[in-house]
């Protein structure tokens, strides 16, 4: 029987272990027992908290999305201009917690899994819509609505593409370079649209 008050801690340990295990393996071809071993808990406890591997995977995705959302809110509170809001949205997607090698590998695995899992696909759609909406809202203050949507779509595609590209390289991803590439794209598109600098 789990100790009272330990459930949130154990769940977080299992989620962190799932990110590491999936990231190291580069696929969802892992068992709950392997994830539990990585977390230092019994497979029975993992099943008790999550029910099964699919539920643990979804909980892991929700955790990453919640962490991303909280980081974004914190960053946006400090942003006082539309340009600062755009920069904050881009930077948060490449933060240390989101752009770590194992987390990048886990995200890419979730994208592959979404092709056969409706629940995973729904979570990824929530993420994509949220990022697009945040970017488009800030961009609309600098250009037309249609252009803002187009630039937001392109920036989102670049962010996803940079995750893929960095997953194919050895070593730690270079967040500063990724941020600079996306910011350059946004700046160039805004200049082409005649937006104020």
């Amino acid at each position: 029987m789990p100790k009272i008050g330990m459930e949130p801690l154990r769940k977080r340990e299992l989620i962190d272990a799932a990110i590491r295990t999936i990231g190291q393996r580069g696929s969802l071809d892992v068992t709950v027992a392997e994830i539990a071993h990585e977390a230092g808990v019994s497979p029975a406890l993992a099943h008790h908290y999550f029910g099964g591997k699919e539920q643990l995977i979804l909980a892991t995705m929700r955790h990453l999305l919640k962490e991303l959302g909280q980081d974004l809110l914190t960053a946006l509170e400090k942003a006082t201009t539309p340009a600062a809001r755009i920069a904050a949205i881009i930077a948060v997607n490449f933060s240390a917690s989101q752009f770590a090698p194992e987390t990048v590998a886990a995200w890419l695995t979730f994208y592959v899994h979404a092709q056969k899992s409706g629940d995973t696909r729904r979570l990824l759609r929530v993420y994509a819509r949220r990022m697009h909406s945040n970017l488009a809202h800030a961009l609309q203050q600098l250009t037309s609505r249609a252009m803002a949507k187009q630039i937001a779509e392109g920036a989102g595609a670049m962010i996803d593409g940079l995750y893929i590209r960095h997953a194919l390289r050895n070593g730690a991803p270079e967040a500063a370079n990724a941020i600079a590439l996306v910011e350059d794209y946004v700046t160039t598109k805004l200049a082409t649209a005649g937006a104020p600098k």
Side-chain angles (χ1 to χ4, degrees):
M1 179 106 180
K3 292 180 183 176
I4 294 172
M6 291 299 290
E7 183 174 344
L9 177 64
R10 293 290 181 246
K11 282 185 172 181
R12 177 60 192 263
E13 289 171 350
L14 283 160
I15 286 169
D16 289 343
I19 293 168
R20 288 192 305 274
T21 306
I22 292 165
Q24 290 162 3
R25 186 76 51 92
S27 80
L28 292 180
D29 188 24
V30 296
T31 65
V32 172
E34 289 171 323
I35 293 169
H37 177 73
E38 175 71 21
V41 301
S42 72
L45 190 63
H47 281 287
H48 171 74
Y49 287 142
F50 294 103
K53 185 169 107 173
E54 183 70 16
Q55 290 79 16
L56 178 53
I57 290 165
L58 291 171
T60 302
M61 286 185 67
R62 284 187 195 102
H63 167 76
L64 287 171
L65 288 169
K66 183 179 178 184
E67 198 172 64
L68 181 67
Q70 289 170 338
D71 290 349
L72 181 58
L73 283 175
T74 300
L76 289 176
E77 286 173 0
K78 299 172 187 169
T80 57
T81 66
R85 290 178 67 82
I86 293 163
I89 295 164
I90 293 167
V92 163
N93 279 279
F94 298 106
S95 67
S97 61
Q98 293 292 325
F99 208 50
E102 288 171 347
T103 309
V104 169
W107 270 118
L108 294 180
T109 303
F110 297 148
Y111 270 92
V112 172
H113 186 61
Q115 295 177 48
K116 57 185 176 184
S117 166
D119 289 334
T120 303
R121 190 166 42 254
R122 275 188 289 280
L123 284 175
L124 288 172
R125 282 181 180 158
V126 166
Y127 155 73
R129 278 196 304 263
R130 192 174 295 156
M131 180 168 54
H132 184 273
S133 173
N134 284 324
L135 280 168
H137 175 73
L139 286 160
Q140 282 178 51
Q141 297 171 51
L142 299 173
T143 189
S144 71
R145 184 173 184 195
M147 182 57 71
K149 287 184 172 186
Q150 181 185 358
I151 296 170
E153 188 69 28
M158 280 191 78
I159 290 167
D160 290 343
L162 286 163
Y163 268 70
I164 293 168
R165 184 162 290 181
H166 285 287
L168 300 175
R169 295 183 180 162
N170 291 329
E174 298 173 7
N177 290 344
I179 291 167
L181 282 169
V182 181
E183 286 183 343
D184 184 61
Y185 164 79
V186 171
T187 301
T188 301
K189 292 296 283 182
L190 285 170
T192 301
K197 295 182 181 179

